[in-house]
Amino acid sequence: MAVKNVLEAVRDTLFEAMGRDQRVMVLGEDVGRHGGVFNATQGLYEAFGEDRVVDTPLAESSIVGIAIGAAFGGLLPVAEIQFADFIHPAVDQIINEAAKIRYRSNGDFGCPIVIRVPYGGGVHGGLYHSQSVEALFFSTPGLKIVAPTTPADVKGLLLAAIYDPDPVIFLEHKASYRAIKGEYPEGEFVLPIGPADVKRAGTDLTVVSYGMTMHYALQAAEELSREEGIEAEVIDLRTLLPLDRRTIVDSVKKTGKLLVVHEDNLTGGVGAEVAATVADEAFMYLDAPIRRLAALDVPSTPYHPALERAMLPSKAQVKEAILELARY
Amino acid sequence: MAVKNVLEAVRDTLFEAMGRDQRVMVLGEDVGRHGGVFNATQGLYEAFGEDRVVDTPLAESSIVGIAIGAAFGGLLPVAEIQFADFIHPAVDQIINEAAKIRYRSNGDFGCPIVIRVPYGGGVHGGLYHSQSVEALFFSTPGLKIVAPTTPADVKGLLLAAIYDPDPVIFLEHKASYRAIKGEYPEGEFVLPIGPADVKRAGTDLTVVSYGMTMHYALQAAEELSREEGIEAEVIDLRTLLPLDRRTIVDSVKKTGKLLVVHEDNLTGGVGAEVAATVADEAFMYLDAPIRRLAALDVPSTPYHPALERAMLPSKAQVKEAILELARY
Amino acid sequence: MKRTTGEPLKKQAALGERIHTRLGLSDDDLLQMYRTMVTARAFDERAFILFTQGKIPFTVTGHGHEGAQVAAAKCLTPGRDWVLPYYRDVGVVLALGMTVRELMLGEFGKAADPSSGGRQMPKHWGCRRLKIVTQSSPVATQLPHACGLAWAMKVRNEEGIVWVSFGDGVASKGDFHEALNFAGIHKLPVVFFCENNYYAISVPFSKQSPVPRVADRAAAYGMPGISVDGNDVFEVYKATREAVQRALAGEGPTLVEARTYRFGPHTSNDDDRRYRSRDEVAQWKEKDPIPRFAAYLKEIGLLDDQEEAAIKAEAEKEVREAAAWAESQPDPDPATVAAHVYAERGPAHGR
Amino acid sequence: MKRTTGEPLKKQAALGERIHTRLGLSDDDLLQMYRTMVTARAFDERAFILFTQGKIPFTVTGHGHEGAQVAAAKCLTPGRDWVLPYYRDVGVVLALGMTVRELMLGEFGKAADPSSGGRQMPKHWGCRRLKIVTQSSPVATQLPHACGLAWAMKVRNEEGIVWVSFGDGVASKGDFHEALNFAGIHKLPVVFFCENNYYAISVPFSKQSPVPRVADRAAAYGMPGISVDGNDVFEVYKATREAVQRALAGEGPTLVEARTYRFGPHTSNDDDRRYRSRDEVAQWKEKDPIPRFAAYLKEIGLLDDQEEAAIKAEAEKEVREAAAWAESQPDPDPATVAAHVYAERGPAHGR
Ligand SMILES: Cc1ncc(C[n+]2csc(CCOP(=O)(O)OP(=O)(O)O)c2C)c(N)n1
Ligand SMILES: Cc1ncc(C[n+]2csc(CCOP(=O)(O)OP(=O)(O)O)c2C)c(N)n1
Ligand SMILES: [Mg+2]
Ligand SMILES: [Mg+2]
């Protein structure tokens, strides 16, 4: 198997999907000749032409709205929102339209679109090139949200998302694009949307995460295993919505402790739902308070590296939080 | 003191504020000559003229955007979004602009706007005249969200919101407009944004809620006190953001049990944050799993009363949940 | 209703220069259009009565718009063209082939309501069979959908066009701009059909628009903008048909504005006396498209007073019976409330 | 730099018919404008060097836009008018009175950066003192803010106007439409200033706009649209001044389009060779507004080669020194990261 980074995985998966299925199209700002500001669509324009690789005007609401219409018309559109921070004008089309179409039509219409969204901080992008937006969409039944951060997960879930009959927000952590490398499965490789992935088995506590902080958790868990003999079970949610409560609850029933980590800010984040679920369904198994580690509750990530570091959760903090909870 | 309903409280408070302070203005769809589709601005146009009571075009993003600009210019704008279900086009202006202005300008600029938002179901409004949108904004530091549902709370918090130097989303439950009556304090009566209100003291369990379900909880608590001798402590959040964690945690430390109830759907709702907070900060005091009761996780409230009833939490369900948890 | 004498046909022949023949409309076309207009009117009147009787909690009517609607729909080919109507377009969906009974199920929000099984408010039609796209209530959102559909038709080389309607207030919204802009850039086969009734609820057109005509906005999108008397069936038909032909010919989108008026309140929740004078309403009622069209039909001998009354009576009977029938149909089963949040099974096949 | 001989003044007197005198611009005005243009250029060149050196993680430049920017800013009255610039407008904010040192603090994101204390990316200026409104990065959002400000000025009877700038890509967005629509309806004192450089990152204007000029969109909003050669300082000045005068006279908003070009990549992250031919760039560089303005100044005797070089050297020195100074200033204190989420104290007093 080839080793690729996350960005290559996105691009190659799009290339494969478009090559195989005429219905797949991509649209967004600069996705055409430019190949995307992160190069995620590089080569598609040359290979598949301007009917299927569409440079849209600078107008996010219409990017999603056009994708919805194209899906009605039988295409399988993959829309790119250039940065997660610019998805907000499209919230109406995503929440009130895409996510409600099947329900409101009593199943007569569906909305098989994918919205690719580069997100996340740690890239000196400041307030508007760093945001995590999962909480914004997390209370939206009808929508699916996936956030894979290994090349294999990216491939398997992006293919699944393209063929999913419902709208999928596909979150790509910008910091993972080049930093995270791994095996890239050849050919048809589809992962189900829904199930979380136990990326590391353990017995002492459960760490639930996704995105870049999941990688921090994995690394910290390895270190703590070596250094302290602490065995953390690390669950990568991968799919945020619908949430795989079962895997989480089962794990906590085994370990008795839960730490949730995410880069999104604390209040109202996905971590709250994970914690609330466990505080209900695994209450009798809990040996310690449920801990959450997340970004500070400030409006967004500041630009200067010193402020940025102070705002985002770090690997060191994740390690410390695991250690502290393990010792509780 | 006069007894008024919630709608009258909104209207009369706006009238008082505008009469007292030239800077206060209202803007929105049909707020002028019509007086608002719920009559919440009735009489303002006649009393204060079209410079201060502005019928805007049908364009929610600009309603909020114009309010922000007017605030820069020294006014204190109160924008009305006709139904919560139509706030989505304004999400960018609310989250990326209003909530981030102070932070991004390092305190140089502020954004003293109020966005009044009639919300909630049970009024046969179907998918798009029933939504609860608090979860959408709840992960937005820099923004304040209040949701009072007694005439006195409405007055005190609306006045506070108008004078608050930060943006405030003011949620008005449509079903409370006429159904909830109570004393309306005369003259200057301001309540602080932030503190939750213990609407009923109790010892057996803590019920945290807001909006119409808070009234269900209050009624159920009274009934269960009479019928079963169960004493529920009912906390009305009133302010959702920033969340008054202290009052909640202190109450649960006393009662040992927590039920959170809201009309918004379960996943990613305010209830998750309340539960997660308690599962961390009051863990040692908990005698039972933390329970949440909320609307079904479906895209929105269906139109037909039979479906609507099946989707929304009822007073009977609240009562049952209290009873069950008390007996746990 | 069948015609009983050959007389009017003769009369018509003598009037070869009449506008409808110039437009290629046959006698049958005219009568069918007239009947649909009358049925639409009767349907909405019945719906309002049902509301007043407390049998349904809400309705919204297209009173006054029927001429524009039926004329526009006449230019469309059901099953070929995608249609995105808005909540006043009862005349459109009837003309396309939704039945009065289907529509009545929607008014009651019954389980068998084809649009939504009782999940949407009345008048939010959707019908895959007829390529009528499911409607939300937030306005303007359907305009980019129309562009996406047109894109799909274009790249898949499918014959047909996309027709999307909306009110004058909608022209204020960002989605209107983004959609017309995209359609203009790519010369998409879309007909943007604005039913300008000069009010967005209470807000008069002058507070929505800095220009006197919605069609004046078309130039900014590099497309023709045509404003017509929306109560004149033939003007609307002509403008819409030309727009459809342009679209079919690959010449791109058109913005058609049909200037009309809503005779009733905005919805059953509204009281329009708060913002419109009775005089103004009365003046517009004189331009009512139904008597006006009837007058034309009479002039050319296609209709007489008796037939006019019969058509009306028939329509009223049909809607009354449909209402009674629909009322007796099963309500949605509360056990289905959580169905169709997600597809029951994948993978996607274009729906 | 002081002038050393009286010669050119004489020469100028002989040229009473020159355009700048007709426009009411003095020699001092011209020289001040020229210096600001050169300083803006030097500032951005320095910023790019800092990026290349790895001293700052990011920058964005206004190369090529300086003529339009300085000419437009010349029409504004600092402290009276509200100004909402966008990220290329280094020439605007310099002209209004932000200092090179202040701007350099922004490039480094230093604690004393007046715009944001290092929270925003460089070039996101805000400065209450000069009524420069805090900028976000999402484009077009500032356009409705401009309307709100204008509304406030109007109802408070404050003298002045609101000037807001943006790129050509922004005209595609919903907020553009909603803002111009509102300004048009209420004849608000706003000047909408579009710097059309024919690209939104890589997307050419032809894929953003169905009409050849941004100004062609103005008619839809009932306002004048004026398109000028953005590299001609006098054309821009004239059009903007007229727009300001209209606004001051209560005649409403204007859309001014300055057609120009960006000489460099979109930002320091971009490689424009992926989407623009070097030929195209070279052709536009021949229209560079700085040498063009210099040529005019030389023609009227206000500048010679030596002075030209001296002004450039002076500007380069100023920005180099400012960069070194700014680099040495304190970084933001991580302990302040949670400050200014909410106001430290109320109540609101208009900020
Ligand atoms: C985004 C949004 N905002 C507000 C509303 C509430 N609303 C429903 S219809 C309407 C007025 C629409 O006016 P117009 O477009 O002229 O159509 P008309 O009803 O007059 O036919 C408003 C404001 C809505 N449905 N959607
Ligand atoms: C809402 C939004 N979407 C996308 C972006 C990313 N982006 C930044 S600048 C830009 C292009 C802007 O082009 P234009 O308006 O022509 O201004 P220019 O940069 O050419 O001066 C884009 C797409 C953004 N900042 N905001
Ligand atoms: Mg209207
Ligand atoms: Mg540009």
Side-chain angles (χ1 to χ4, degrees):
Chain A
M1 255 195 266
V3 168
K4 296 188 180 178
N5 65 29
V6 164
L7 180 63
E8 290 160 344
V10 171
R11 187 170 57 210
D12 294 355
T13 307
L14 288 173
F15 201 94
E16 287 180 43
M18 293 189 75
R20 218 182 301 168
D21 190 334
Q22 286 276 351
R23 297 174 302 169
V24 183
M25 69 176 286
V26 309
L27 70 164
E29 295 156 10
D30 304 292
V31 300
R33 196 179 301 279
H34 186 294
V37 296
F38 296 102
N39 303 343
T41 57
Q42 217 178 350
L44 301 181
Y45 182 84
E46 291 74 14
F48 305 110
E50 63 180 8
D51 277 359
R52 296 179 61 202
V53 184
V54 186
D55 270 330
T56 64
L58 204 181
E60 284 78 8
S61 182
S62 66
I63 292 175
V64 176
I66 290 162
I68 292 170
F72 288 155
L75 301 179
L76 296 176
V78 181
E80 174 177 305
I81 298 294
Q82 197 161 76
F83 285 83
D85 315 66
F86 307 137
I87 202 170
H88 301 77
V91 159
D92 195 32
Q93 287 288 351
I94 297 170
I95 294 182
N96 268 336
E97 298 296 329
K100 291 184 174 64
I101 282 164
R102 184 177 303 284
Y103 192 74
R104 78 172 182 234
S105 69
N106 208 25
D108 198 22
F109 284 81
C111 186
I113 66 169
V114 180
I115 306 172
R116 292 184 40 247
V117 186
Y119 80 110
V123 295
H124 312 316
L127 297 169
Y128 297 101
H129 297 80
S130 304
Q131 292 180 43
S132 292
V133 293
E134 50 273 30
L136 188 59
F137 296 106
F138 186 58
S139 60
T140 310
L143 191 67
K144 298 182 179 182
I145 311 176
V146 298
T149 45
T150 69
D153 288 355
V154 161
K155 176 167 187 177
L157 288 166
L158 184 49
L159 281 180
I162 290 171
Y163 284 96
D164 197 281
D166 291 306
V168 181
I169 292 192
F170 193 87
L171 295 173
E172 302 169 5
H173 199 295
K174 299 194 294 288
S176 80
Y177 271 157
R178 293 193 168 78
I180 305 296
K181 297 187 178 68
E183 294 193 334
Y184 177 82
E186 306 294 333
E188 186 78 21
F189 174 77
V190 180
L191 290 171
I193 293 179
D197 187 37
V198 180
K199 282 269 186 323
R200 183 183 197 280
T203 48
D204 295 331
L205 80 170
T206 300
V207 184
V208 171
S209 190
Y210 60 92
M212 281 306 284
T213 53
M214 193 282 298
H215 291 281
Y216 299 167
L218 265 186
Q219 291 159 24
E222 289 304 328
E223 290 171 20
L224 286 169
S225 168
R226 283 199 307 276
E227 295 163 11
E228 311 277 343
I230 291 167
E231 297 303 336
E233 179 145 311
V234 179
I235 297 178
D236 182 1
L237 288 178
R238 291 195 309 201
T239 294
L240 310 184
L241 193 70
L243 183 65
D244 180 1
R245 299 179 203 264
R246 186 56 30 233
T247 299
I248 299 163
V249 168
D250 286 349
S251 174
V252 177
K253 282 185 178 169
K254 186 175 73 174
T255 65
K257 293 176 180 176
L258 173 64
L259 170 69
V260 199
V261 186
H262 54 59
E263 189 186 303
D264 203 352
N265 58 280
L266 184 83
T267 298
V270 172
E273 186 65 35
V274 172
T277 300
V278 166
D280 185 352
E281 299 180 27
F283 175 74
M284 299 300 293
Y285 300 82
L286 279 173
D287 296 325
I290 298 174
R291 299 290 194 218
R292 288 180 293 160
L293 177 63
L296 288 185
D297 275 333
V298 303
S300 185
T301 315
Y303 176 66
H304 192 284
L307 295 173
E308 188 180 41
R309 272 193 302 274
M311 187 266 186
L312 295 173
S314 66
K315 204 199 95 183
Q317 284 172 317
V318 176
K319 188 170 173 185
E320 199 180 296
I322 296 178
L323 186 62
E324 200 195 308
L325 188 57
R327 291 200 172 139
Y328 186 91
Chain B
M1 259 197 262
V3 168
K4 296 188 178 176
N5 66 27
V6 164
L7 181 63
E8 291 160 344
V10 171
R11 187 170 55 210
D12 294 356
T13 307
L14 287 173
F15 202 94
E16 287 180 44
M18 294 190 74
R20 218 181 302 167
D21 190 333
Q22 285 274 352
R23 294 175 303 168
V24 182
M25 69 176 286
V26 309
L27 71 164
E29 295 156 9
D30 306 292
V31 299
R33 195 179 303 277
H34 185 294
V37 296
F38 296 103
N39 304 342
T41 57
Q42 215 177 351
L44 300 182
Y45 182 85
E46 291 73 14
F48 304 109
E50 61 179 9
D51 277 357
R52 295 179 61 201
V53 185
V54 185
D55 269 331
T56 64
L58 204 181
E60 284 78 6
S61 181
S62 66
I63 292 174
V64 175
I66 291 162
I68 292 170
F72 288 155
L75 300 179
L76 296 176
V78 181
E80 175 177 304
I81 298 294
Q82 198 161 76
F83 284 83
D85 315 65
F86 307 138
I87 203 171
H88 302 77
V91 159
D92 194 33
Q93 287 288 353
I94 297 170
I95 294 182
N96 268 335
E97 297 297 328
K100 291 184 174 62
I101 283 164
R102 185 177 302 285
Y103 193 73
R104 78 172 184 235
S105 69
N106 208 23
D108 199 21
F109 284 80
C111 185
I113 66 170
V114 180
I115 306 172
R116 290 184 42 247
V117 185
Y119 80 111
V123 294
H124 311 316
L127 296 170
Y128 298 101
H129 297 81
S130 304
Q131 293 179 43
S132 292
V133 293
E134 50 272 29
L136 188 59
F137 297 106
F138 185 58
S139 60
T140 310
L143 192 67
K144 298 181 179 181
I145 310 176
V146 300
T149 45
T150 69
D153 287 355
V154 161
K155 174 165 188 177
L157 287 167
L158 184 49
L159 281 180
I162 290 171
Y163 284 97
D164 196 282
D166 291 307
V168 180
I169 292 192
F170 193 88
L171 296 173
E172 301 169 5
H173 199 295
K174 299 193 294 288
S176 79
Y177 271 157
R178 291 194 169 77
I180 306 297
K181 296 188 178 70
E183 294 193 337
Y184 177 82
E186 307 295 333
E188 186 78 19
F189 174 77
V190 181
L191 289 170
I193 292 180
D197 188 36
V198 180
K199 283 267 185 328
R200 183 182 196 279
T203 47
D204 296 330
L205 81 170
T206 300
V207 184
V208 171
S209 191
Y210 59 92
M212 281 306 283
T213 53
M214 192 282 300
H215 291 281
Y216 300 168
L218 265 186
Q219 291 159 23
E222 288 304 327
E223 290 172 19
L224 287 169
S225 168
R226 283 197 307 274
E227 295 163 12
E228 309 279 341
I230 291 167
E231 297 303 336
E233 178 144 312
V234 178
I235 297 180
D236 181 2
L237 287 178
R238 290 196 308 201
T239 294
L240 309 184
L241 192 70
L243 183 64
D244 181 0
R245 300 179 202 264
R246 187 55 31 231
T247 298
I248 299 163
V249 168
D250 286 349
S251 173
V252 178
K253 283 186 177 169
K254 187 175 73 175
T255 64
K257 293 176 180 175
L258 172 64
L259 169 70
V260 199
V261 186
H262 53 59
E263 188 185 304
D264 203 352
N265 60 281
L266 184 84
T267 298
V270 172
E273 185 65 34
V274 172
T277 301
V278 166
D280 184 353
E281 298 180 27
F283 176 72
M284 300 300 293
Y285 301 83
L286 280 173
D287 296 326
I290 297 174
R291 299 288 194 220
R292 287 180 294 160
L293 177 64
L296 288 186
D297 275 333
V298 302
S300 185
T301 314
Y303 177 67
H304 192 283
L307 295 173
E308 187 180 41
R309 270 192 305 271
M311 187 267 185
L312 294 174
S314 66
K315 204 200 95 182
Q317 284 172 316
V318 176
K319 188 171 173 184
E320 200 181 294
I322 296 176
L323 187 60
E324 200 196 307
L325 188 58
R327 290 197 174 142
Y328 185 90
Chain C
M1 203 193 67
K2 294 226 187 72
R3 300 208 47 78
T4 44
T5 84
E7 236 281 287
L9 285 173
K10 259 190 270 157
K11 205 168 162 188
Q12 198 208 356
L15 291 162
E17 287 305 296
R18 299 307 302 219
I19 178 147
H20 74 276
T21 26
R22 280 207 312 277
L23 291 172
L25 288 167
S26 70
D27 291 358
D28 278 355
D29 289 335
L30 297 190
L31 281 172
Q32 178 207 39
M33 287 165 77
Y34 180 70
R35 279 199 201 94
T36 307
M37 284 164 67
V38 172
T39 307
R41 174 75 51 98
F43 183 89
D44 275 347
E45 270 162 6
R46 178 54 47 185
F48 220 89
I49 291 170
L50 295 171
F51 167 77
T52 316
Q53 292 172 335
K55 292 193 172 180
I56 61 175
F58 173 84
T59 200
V60 45
T61 71
H63 286 163
H65 292 220
E66 297 94 341
Q69 292 169 358
V70 170
K74 187 70 193 163
C75 307
L76 305 176
T77 306
R80 179 195 75 178
D81 299 328
W82 283 96
V83 180
L84 297 87
Y86 89 118
Y87 48 80
R88 298 208 187 279
D89 281 336
V90 65
V92 172
V93 296
L94 283 173
L96 289 174
M98 287 190 85
T99 68
V100 167
R101 281 194 163 193
E102 283 179 326
L103 266 49
M104 265 309 168
L105 290 168
E107 297 295 313
F108 285 93
K110 291 294 185 177
D113 156 32
S115 303
S116 80
R119 285 166 176 197
Q120 281 274 41
M121 284 179 150
K123 306 285 180 14
H124 287 62
W125 304 285
C127 181
R128 174 166 289 277
R129 172 184 109 235
L130 291 166
K131 291 195 169 174
I132 296 171
V133 176
T134 174
Q135 264 185 80
S136 67
S137 309
V139 301
T141 49
Q142 74 274 29
L143 296 166
H145 302 174
C147 294
L149 273 161
W151 187 275
M153 294 180 96
K154 197 174 166 178
V155 303
R156 291 161 68 111
N157 276 315
E158 289 173 6
E159 218 211 327
I161 63 112
V162 184
W163 182 91
V164 57
S165 66
F166 50 95
D168 46 298
V170 170
S172 302
K173 267 205 79 101
D175 271 0
F176 167 88
H177 177 68
E178 297 189 4
L180 273 76
N181 196 48
F182 189 79
I185 292 167
H186 294 286
K187 298 217 164 296
L188 296 178
V190 184
V191 178
F192 295 98
F193 190 81
C194 181
E195 300 178 26
N196 183 357
N197 60 18
Y198 293 95
Y199 286 89
I201 309 185
S202 74
V203 181
F205 188 58
S206 60
K207 288 214 171 145
Q208 292 283 348
S209 176
V211 287
R213 296 274 153 99
V214 174
D216 293 343
R217 300 186 186 263
Y221 308 112
M223 67 176 80
I226 305 173
S227 184
V228 294
D229 177 348
N231 295 337
D232 182 329
V233 167
F234 298 114
E235 271 204 34
V236 176
Y237 177 77
K238 182 163 179 290
T240 311
R241 202 183 54 171
E242 280 168 16
V244 170
Q245 281 163 350
R246 287 190 75 241
L248 286 172
E251 289 162 25
T254 308
L255 172 57
V256 178
E257 171 185 22
R259 301 186 314 273
T260 183
Y261 200 74
R262 96 173 122 72
F263 291 159
H266 172 67
T267 68
S268 55
N269 289 337
D270 184 42
D271 177 2
D272 62 315
R273 284 169 303 186
R274 290 168 75 160
Y275 53 85
R276 303 197 300 194
S277 76
R278 292 307 89 188
D279 257 18
E280 182 185 301
V281 178
Q283 273 167 35
W284 274 97
K285 281 201 170 162
E286 280 167 24
K287 304 178 192 155
D288 189 331
I290 294 185
R292 185 164 162 187
F293 194 41
Y296 179 86
L297 298 181
K298 286 178 190 171
E299 208 182 308
I300 61 168
L302 266 184
L303 192 74
D304 58 26
D305 289 354
Q306 210 184 322
E307 286 158 348
E308 182 183 20
I311 289 175
K312 186 156 185 266
E314 206 174 323
E316 280 167 0
K317 181 157 173 273
E318 184 181 11
V319 300
R320 203 171 41 244
E321 283 178 6
W325 172 82
E327 190 176 359
S328 72
Q329 294 302 298
D331 287 335
D333 177 358
T336 64
V337 68
H340 301 306
V341 177
Y342 298 103
E344 253 86 86
R345 51 186 187 82
H349 41 86
R351 53 174 292 182
Chain D
M1 205 194 67
K2 293 227 186 71
R3 301 206 47 76
T4 43
T5 84
E7 237 281 289
L9 285 173
K10 259 191 265 156
K11 205 167 161 187
Q12 197 209 357
L15 291 162
E17 287 305 295
R18 298 306 304 220
I19 178 149
H20 74 278
T21 27
R22 281 208 310 277
L23 291 172
L25 289 167
S26 70
D27 292 357
D28 279 354
D29 289 336
L30 296 190
L31 282 172
Q32 177 207 38
M33 287 165 77
Y34 181 69
R35 279 199 200 96
T36 307
M37 283 164 68
V38 172
T39 306
R41 174 75 51 97
F43 184 90
D44 275 348
E45 271 162 5
R46 177 56 46 185
F48 220 87
I49 292 170
L50 294 171
F51 168 76
T52 315
Q53 292 172 335
K55 292 193 171 178
I56 61 175
F58 173 85
T59 199
V60 44
T61 71
H63 286 162
H65 291 221
E66 296 93 342
Q69 291 169 357
V70 170
K74 187 69 193 166
C75 307
L76 305 176
T77 305
R80 179 196 75 179
D81 300 328
W82 284 96
V83 180
L84 297 86
Y86 89 116
Y87 48 81
R88 298 208 188 280
D89 281 335
V90 64
V92 172
V93 296
L94 282 174
L96 289 174
M98 287 190 86
T99 68
V100 167
R101 282 193 162 193
E102 283 179 327
L103 266 51
M104 266 307 167
L105 290 167
E107 297 295 313
F108 285 93
K110 292 295 186 176
D113 156 33
S115 302
S116 80
R119 286 167 176 193
Q120 282 273 41
M121 284 181 149
K123 307 285 178 20
H124 286 63
W125 305 283
C127 180
R128 173 166 290 277
R129 174 185 106 234
L130 291 166
K131 290 193 169 174
I132 296 171
V133 176
T134 175
Q135 263 186 79
S136 67
S137 308
V139 300
T141 49
Q142 74 274 27
L143 295 166
H145 302 174
C147 294
L149 272 161
W151 187 274
M153 292 180 96
K154 197 173 164 177
V155 302
R156 290 159 70 111
N157 276 315
E158 289 172 4
E159 218 211 327
I161 63 112
V162 183
W163 183 92
V164 57
S165 66
F166 50 96
D168 46 299
V170 170
S172 300
K173 267 204 80 100
D175 271 0
F176 168 89
H177 177 68
E178 297 189 4
L180 273 75
N181 196 48
F182 189 78
I185 293 166
H186 293 286
K187 297 217 166 298
L188 296 179
V190 184
V191 178
F192 295 99
F193 190 81
C194 181
E195 301 178 25
N196 183 357
N197 59 18
Y198 292 96
Y199 285 90
I201 307 187
S202 74
V203 181
F205 188 58
S206 60
K207 288 214 171 143
Q208 291 284 348
S209 175
V211 287
R213 296 273 155 98
V214 174
D216 292 343
R217 300 186 186 264
Y221 308 112
M223 65 176 81
I226 305 174
S227 184
V228 294
D229 177 348
N231 295 337
D232 182 329
V233 168
F234 298 115
E235 271 204 34
V236 177
Y237 176 77
K238 183 163 178 290
T240 311
R241 203 183 53 171
E242 279 168 18
V244 169
Q245 281 163 351
R246 286 190 75 242
L248 286 172
E251 290 161 25
T254 307
L255 172 57
V256 178
E257 171 186 22
R259 301 187 314 274
T260 183
Y261 200 73
R262 97 173 122 73
F263 291 158
H266 173 67
T267 68
S268 55
N269 290 337
D270 184 41
D271 177 1
D272 62 315
R273 284 169 305 185
R274 291 170 75 159
Y275 52 85
R276 302 197 301 193
S277 75
R278 292 307 88 186
D279 258 19
E280 181 185 301
V281 178
Q283 273 168 34
W284 274 97
K285 281 201 172 164
E286 280 169 23
K287 303 179 194 158
D288 189 333
I290 294 184
R292 184 165 164 187
F293 194 42
Y296 179 86
L297 297 183
K298 286 176 190 173
E299 208 183 309
I300 61 167
L302 265 185
L303 191 73
D304 59 26
D305 289 354
Q306 209 185 323
E307 287 158 348
E308 182 183 19
I311 288 176
K312 186 155 184 267
E314 206 174 324
E316 281 167 0
K317 181 156 172 274
E318 184 181 10
V319 300
R320 202 169 45 243
E321 281 179 6
W325 172 81
E327 191 176 358
S328 72
Q329 294 302 297
D331 288 336
D333 177 357
T336 62
V337 67
H340 302 305
V341 177
Y342 297 103
E344 253 86 87
R345 48 184 191 81
H349 42 85
R351 53 177 290 182

